[in-house]
Amino acid sequence: MRQEESISKVRESEENSISVRELLDKYLVYWRWLLCSIVVFLVLGWMYARYQTPSYESVASVLIEQENSPGASEELGMLKDLGLASGGGVLEDEIELYQSRSLMERVVRDLHLHWKYQIVGTTTGLVRSELYNANPIRIRAVEADSLFYDKHYEFEITLTSNNEYTITSGNVLVGNSYKYGSILQLPIGKIILEKTNEFKKNRVGNRILISVAPVSEVATYIRKNLSVEPASKEANILILKVKGHNVEKNNAILNKIMAVHQENAVNNKNEVVKNTTAFINERMKFIAAELTDVEKKGEDYKSEHHLVDVTTDAATYLEKESDIEKKVVEASIEMSLADFMNEVISDQNGYEQLLPANLGFKDPSIGVMTTQYNTLVLERNRLRETNGSKHPGIARIESQLSSLRTSLENSLRNMHNSSQMQLKKLKSEEQIYQSKISSIPQFEREYRDIFRQQQIKESLYLFLLQKREQNEISLAATVANSRVIDAAYSTGIPVSPKKSLIYLISFALGILIPVGAIYLLVLLNNKIVSRSDLENSGLTVVGVIPEEKDKDKLMALSHPQSSLSEAFRVLRTNLSFVTSSENDGCKVISVTSSLSGEGKSLTSVNLAFMFAATGKKVLLMGLDLRKPRLKDILNLKQTPGLSNYLVNHDLTAKDIIVSSESHGQSISIIQAGDIPPNPSELLMNQRLDALIASLRNEFDYIILDNAPVGLVIDAVTTNRFTDVTLYIIRSGMIDKRYQNHILELKNQGKLKNLYIMMNAVKNAGGSYSYSYSYGYGENVNKKSWWKRLLGLN
């Protein structure tokens, strides 16, 4: 059992290896095109990498202080106490701030990045290197630089000398020469072009491309090339990276971003502190005035009424009276809400409007019924909008709404009555306590009110005074919540273009594109092209003849060491093998095809001579009476042929047999003769059978050049005296579906012992053909090196 399993595994692996090898062979046939494609794409990749401006990456890191620092905690706590702020920032907020558009536009304006300077290459003019600190010139606006914040313009200057330069715009020279420091009028405004400390003699002759772009566009470009990410999940450190074409410019951008962020953070904190201080000062002025008034009022009242103390009973009565007043207010609110809800329900004529919810009724059933009522109203309106007013569900919902409305009205009415009774009871209790309080001297009660107001004002004033002092301390100690760990730096190694990646992609495209094209061609091709197209079809291929553009019709003889000649030898050997079991005498081989032009006549002639080369007596008979080709192929004279023999009984076999010799080989030939009006009937003549029978005694092989079986029935007619049928299929000429018809001819016995020969197959010989002709064969066709490389004839 194990042995069988191991054998099956070995067979499976062999089949897989064969399938992979066949797949590779299918594409390696076009190895020349693959090689040329790879070379072309590698050259294109080299050109892209050569003329692409290199990009560099600068990196910086900052620490975000997320813990509550003294200043931040005091400010936040103070604002929370005043009800003006809540919560705090997180690391994600800082990332968004670093990438904010307003910050980027500030960086662009401060560093004048809307002006861009590029030095143009002297060789092709395609390579452009961006300048920053090493820029020999700079642009200065005559008026405000903000006038250029939304402008688009580009021009090129040439440093003609140490004192002058020229301007080109759109490949057109603008004016003549201009001196450095002079005012230049451009379509976008007036500028002055000045020399910098980097201007040296070797700069003379340089071409510098200057462009201005809107600040918003430059800020967007920087944002796309800026990344801000946490160093790790646990750390509070942010890594800032920016990509650009100039290392110094990248470093300046990162350092400026961090500086502006810190400045904004400090300004934001100071703005909060200043606003808080202004609010506190304003409130303190108002409260101080009120406190002064209350204190003066208390002093005057005590002096006037000689007030010393307030009795404990008065405090108790006042407290109880206050509780009753709260209950009176609550009962009044409850009754008013009930009346309000009743009015809302009464004003509704239909069921389209919702009822107010969550009004705070003590009776929970009212809230539940209100929620149910609103839910049903929403469901009714939805049904009405989607299905119209005729929907049966609407009537059901309206019935439920009517019941709920009645229940609500009853509940609200009961609540109103209950609240009204409670108010009467509370009023009675309130009158009792008021009568007790009235027994206390009036001046004592009035002074207590004044004293209470004084305490409130004093407490609030002291609270604000304390907060103002804390706020002033915070303002003096305000720091940013970020700290620079590493300033911007760069390794100076370009991050793009990545030449190794470009070459890898070019190499992959050089393979994938032709492979994809070949795959599509093979997928869309419905013709029989090669031997593999006939696999699993039930047809046996005994020969594959390669395509050959040489005009020599007997190339199998004239070039015996060519791949074509070797292919015919293989065909001869295979036919000898398949005919060896038929009989020991003469073998009759019928050569036919599906259509005219597939090479059956040329195959018949070359095959006849190949058999003759082995010392066999061979007769080539032209049975294609409709379109005979043997005479033209072998340059024969017009003599009586088969059609004449079948019509004229005076002719004998010797009268129609002629001899043809080529390259030392001789065969006998019976031409088709004159084209008859009834070829099919002639081929059914019994005299033809007698002729074949007599010729079998004289020859070893009789090769019949038959008519195409896909056009006429002649080949089937002569099948009665045929031993083997050699069916010619020219590569790329016959539809794949036609092989079913060929198989049907074979299975039904209409064409006896049918075998297939593939003709004019491109690269049919494969590696064997190549090595054979290279090592031992002849250079049949003298071709140029590029044609040999691409496999062109």
Side-chain angles (χ1 to χ4, degrees):
M1 187 68 180
R2 292 181 178 176
Q3 185 176 4
E4 293 178 356
E5 291 179 355
S6 62
I7 292 174
S8 63
K9 290 181 179 179
V10 170
R11 290 179 178 175
E12 184 178 355
S13 62
E14 290 178 352
E15 291 176 356
N16 292 335
S17 63
I18 291 173
S19 61
V20 172
R21 191 183 308 117
E22 290 176 350
L23 180 64
L24 290 175
D25 290 342
K26 182 184 295 185
Y27 294 101
L28 289 178
V29 167
Y30 304 95
W31 67 270
R32 298 178 180 88
W33 289 102
L34 289 172
L35 179 60
C36 290
S37 176
I38 291 172
V39 171
V40 169
F41 274 95
L42 285 177
V43 171
L44 292 176
W46 175 84
M47 293 179 63
Y48 175 82
R50 170 66 179 82
Y51 294 104
Q52 189 76 3
T53 303
S55 294
Y56 304 89
E57 184 178 69
S58 293
V59 183
S61 58
V62 293
L63 173 65
I64 304 299
E65 302 285 353
Q66 290 203 56
E67 70 274 6
N68 291 329
S69 60
S73 63
E74 291 175 1
E75 293 172 19
L76 195 57
M78 178 174 51
L79 292 176
K80 287 181 180 179
D81 292 336
L82 296 175
L84 299 177
S86 63
V90 293
L91 202 61
E92 289 75 11
D93 296 334
E94 296 299 325
I95 293 176
E96 293 299 324
L97 288 175
Y98 274 111
Q99 295 178 324
S100 63
R101 174 173 290 276
S102 59
L103 188 146
M104 293 302 157
E105 291 183 352
R106 166 77 183 280
V107 170
V108 172
R109 290 192 297 269
D110 289 354
L111 297 179
H112 303 286
L113 299 180
H114 54 297
W115 290 101
K116 185 177 181 181
Y117 306 86
Q118 293 174 290
I119 186 167
V120 182
T122 57
T123 305
T124 61
L126 298 176
V127 179
R128 297 175 180 180
S129 302
E130 188 170 358
L131 299 172
Y132 190 65
N133 289 339
N135 189 19
I137 58 170
R138 67 177 179 180
I139 298 293
R140 180 168 60 86
V142 175
E143 300 174 353
D145 191 52
S146 58
L147 298 176
F148 298 94
Y149 285 170
D150 60 346
K151 303 296 184 180
H152 258 301
Y153 193 67
E154 183 178 87
F155 60 97
E156 182 182 299
I157 68 168
T158 302
L159 308 180
T160 56
S161 67
N162 291 332
N163 301 317
E164 295 181 340
Y165 63 91
T166 58
I167 297 179
T168 304
S169 179
N171 296 325
V172 177
L173 186 65
V174 179
N176 296 317
S177 296
Y178 300 89
K179 294 185 178 297
Y180 299 108
S182 61
I183 297 177
L184 178 63
Q185 179 65 53
L186 294 178
I188 57 174
K190 295 180 180 180
I191 64 170
I192 296 176
L193 195 146
E194 300 175 332
K195 293 192 294 184
T196 67
N197 294 331
E198 296 295 326
F199 192 98
K200 299 176 182 178
K201 291 184 178 180
N202 58 356
R203 290 292 189 180
V204 175
N206 285 164
R207 295 160 54 198
I208 299 177
L209 183 66
I210 303 175
S211 61
V212 61
V215 171
S216 58
E217 290 186 9
V218 180
T220 301
Y221 175 79
I222 295 177
R223 289 183 67 196
K224 289 181 180 179
N225 290 276
L226 175 69
S227 67
V228 183
E229 298 176 350
S232 65
K233 292 182 179 179
E234 295 78 13
N236 292 331
I237 297 176
L238 294 179
I239 305 298
L240 286 72
K241 298 179 181 179
V242 69
K243 293 181 181 179
H245 301 307
N246 187 284
V247 173
E248 295 175 343
K249 183 178 180 180
N250 293 345
N251 294 340
I253 290 174
L254 278 185
N255 291 330
K256 193 64 178 179
I257 287 174
M258 294 185 291
V260 172
H261 177 270
Q262 289 183 334
E263 182 182 340
N264 290 342
V266 172
N267 291 337
N268 290 337
K269 288 185 178 182
N270 289 341
E271 184 177 358
V272 172
V273 172
K274 291 176 182 177
N275 291 338
T276 305
T277 301
F279 170 77
I280 292 174
N281 290 333
E282 182 180 354
R283 294 303 301 167
M284 286 183 66
K285 290 180 182 179
F286 180 75
I287 292 172
E290 288 184 343
L291 182 59
T292 302
D293 293 340
V294 171
E295 289 177 347
K296 184 67 171 62
K297 185 177 180 180
E299 291 176 0
D300 295 341
Y301 195 85
K302 287 180 73 175
S303 299
E304 180 181 355
H305 297 286
H306 306 285
L307 184 62
V308 178
D309 195 6
V310 181
T311 62
T312 305
D313 292 337
T316 303
Y317 294 151
L318 288 172
E319 182 178 357
K320 291 183 178 180
E321 183 191 19
S322 177
D323 293 337
I324 292 173
E325 285 179 355
K326 290 181 181 178
K327 294 180 180 178
V328 169
V329 172
E330 291 176 358
S332 300
I333 292 174
E334 193 82 0
M335 188 170 63
S336 298
L337 288 176
D339 295 338
F340 170 73
M341 279 291 289
N342 265 323
E343 289 178 4
V344 171
I345 294 174
S346 300
D347 292 341
Q348 290 188 0
N349 296 325
Y351 301 100
E352 289 81 11
Q353 297 180 355
L354 299 174
L355 294 179
N358 300 323
L359 294 180
F361 290 107
K362 290 183 178 180
D363 187 358
S365 62
I366 295 177
V368 173
M369 286 188 289
T370 303
T371 302
Q372 292 178 352
Y373 184 92
N374 290 337
T375 302
L376 290 173
V377 169
L378 292 174
E379 178 65 15
R380 173 188 176 277
N381 293 340
R382 185 185 63 80
L383 289 175
R384 185 168 184 145
E385 289 176 0
T386 56
N387 302 301
S389 59
K390 304 295 185 180
H391 193 274
I394 295 177
R396 174 178 55 79
I397 293 174
E398 289 180 350
S399 175
Q400 296 177 8
L401 289 172
S402 178
S403 300
L404 282 173
R405 181 181 289 181
T406 302
S407 299
L408 271 172
E409 289 175 347
N410 293 335
S411 297
L412 292 171
R413 194 177 299 111
N414 293 335
M415 178 176 287
H416 175 85
N417 295 333
S418 175
S419 299
Q420 193 172 19
M421 292 176 62
Q422 187 180 6
L423 278 174
K424 290 181 180 180
K425 183 180 177 181
L426 291 171
K427 289 289 185 181
S428 176
E429 293 179 0
E430 187 179 20
Q431 288 177 0
I432 294 172
Y433 284 105
Q434 285 179 351
S435 64
K436 292 181 179 180
I437 294 172
S438 63
S439 62
I440 302 174
Q442 182 179 358
F443 58 87
E444 290 285 348
R445 287 186 286 107
E446 293 177 352
Y447 177 74
R448 190 171 186 85
D449 291 338
I450 295 172
F451 182 73
R452 185 184 301 112
Q453 292 179 11
Q454 181 181 353
Q455 285 184 326
I456 292 173
K457 300 298 181 182
E458 285 181 353
S459 299
L460 184 56
Y461 186 84
L462 292 174
F463 173 78
L464 291 176
L465 185 61
Q466 179 184 6
K467 292 301 178 182
R468 186 178 67 176
E469 292 302 319
Q470 293 177 355
N471 204 43
E472 293 298 330
I473 295 173
S474 298
L475 182 62
T478 302
V479 293
N481 63 339
S482 63
R483 178 163 55 88
V484 177
I485 299 176
D486 289 322
Y489 67 95
S490 175
T491 59
I493 301 175
V495 295
S496 67
K498 297 181 179 178
K499 294 185 179 181
S500 57
L501 181 60
I502 292 174
Y503 293 148
L504 180 61
I505 294 175
S506 301
F507 182 79
L509 290 176
I511 294 178
L512 293 178
I513 289 180
V515 166
I518 294 169
Y519 174 77
L520 287 177
L521 290 175
V522 173
L523 184 65
L524 298 176
N525 185 16
N526 62 345
K527 304 294 184 180
I528 300 175
V529 177
S530 63
R531 184 174 192 158
S532 60
D533 294 329
L534 296 175
E535 291 180 353
N536 303 320
S537 64
L539 300 173
T540 304
V541 179
V542 295
V544 178
I545 305 301
E547 183 183 35
E548 183 57 61
K549 298 296 184 179
D550 196 278
K551 296 182 180 180
D552 189 353
K553 298 176 181 178
L554 295 177
M555 187 175 172
L557 290 178
S558 60
H559 301 87
Q561 294 181 345
S562 64
S563 58
L564 181 71
S565 179
E566 183 62 25
F568 269 104
R569 292 190 189 98
V570 174
L571 175 63
R572 179 186 64 190
T573 302
N574 291 338
L575 286 176
S576 300
F577 177 77
V578 298
T579 58
S580 61
S581 60
E582 296 299 321
N583 51 66
D584 296 333
C586 178
K587 312 298 188 301
V588 179
I589 302 175
S590 174
V591 181
T592 186
S593 61
S594 301
L595 302 173
S596 177
E598 294 194 67
K600 64 174 182 59
S601 297
L602 278 174
T603 300
S604 301
V605 172
N606 281 276
L607 185 62
F609 277 105
M610 292 304 293
F611 274 115
T614 61
K616 303 294 184 180
K617 293 186 63 178
V618 181
L619 172 68
L620 177 60
M621 181 180 294
L623 290 187
D624 189 354
L625 304 182
R626 303 171 189 270
K627 191 178 179 181
R629 290 268 296 144
L630 296 182
K631 173 178 174 295
D632 297 332
I633 294 173
L634 296 173
N635 297 320
L636 300 175
K637 296 180 180 180
Q638 184 65 39
T639 59
L642 181 62
S643 62
N644 305 104
Y645 173 81
L646 295 177
V647 173
N648 187 357
H649 291 269
D650 293 335
L651 293 175
T652 63
K654 294 182 179 180
D655 296 332
I656 59 176
I657 296 176
V658 297
S659 178
S660 177
E661 185 174 349
S662 178
H663 298 86
Q665 306 298 332
S666 177
I667 61 173
S668 298
I669 300 175
I670 297 180
Q671 297 186 55
D674 298 331
I675 299 175
N678 55 344
S680 298
E681 288 75 11
L682 282 181
L683 293 176
M684 297 176 64
N685 195 319
Q686 293 299 319
R687 196 175 186 208
L688 177 59
D689 296 64
L691 175 64
I692 295 295
S694 63
L695 293 175
R696 282 181 180 272
N697 298 325
E698 299 182 20
F699 296 95
D700 298 315
Y701 286 95
I702 299 177
I703 297 177
L704 307 179
D705 179 24
N706 245 312
V709 72
L711 302 177
V712 293
I713 199 68
D714 296 359
V716 178
T717 303
T718 59
N719 187 55
R720 61 186 185 274
F721 45 74
T722 299
D723 296 324
V724 173
T725 301
L726 182 62
Y727 201 103
I728 310 299
I729 296 179
R730 188 178 184 88
S731 176
M733 192 169 183
I734 304 300
D735 195 288
K736 291 180 180 179
R737 293 171 292 183
Y738 197 78
Q739 60 184 312
N740 295 327
H741 176 66
I742 300 174
L743 185 62
E744 182 181 349
L745 294 175
K746 175 184 177 181
N747 294 336
Q748 293 179 357
K750 292 182 180 180
L751 294 179
K752 194 182 301 180
N753 296 328
L754 186 146
Y755 294 94
I756 303 296
M757 188 204 84
M758 292 294 301
N759 190 27
V761 177
K762 295 181 179 180
N763 301 303
S767 59
Y768 169 76
S769 166
Y770 176 80
S771 62
Y772 180 86
S773 60
Y774 181 84
Y776 305 99
E778 304 172 18
N779 189 4
V780 178
N781 295 315
K782 299 292 184 179
K783 297 184 289 186
S784 61
W785 65 269
W786 61 272
K787 285 189 175 182
R788 292 199 303 273
L789 176 63
L790 298 179
L792 299 176
N793 293 302

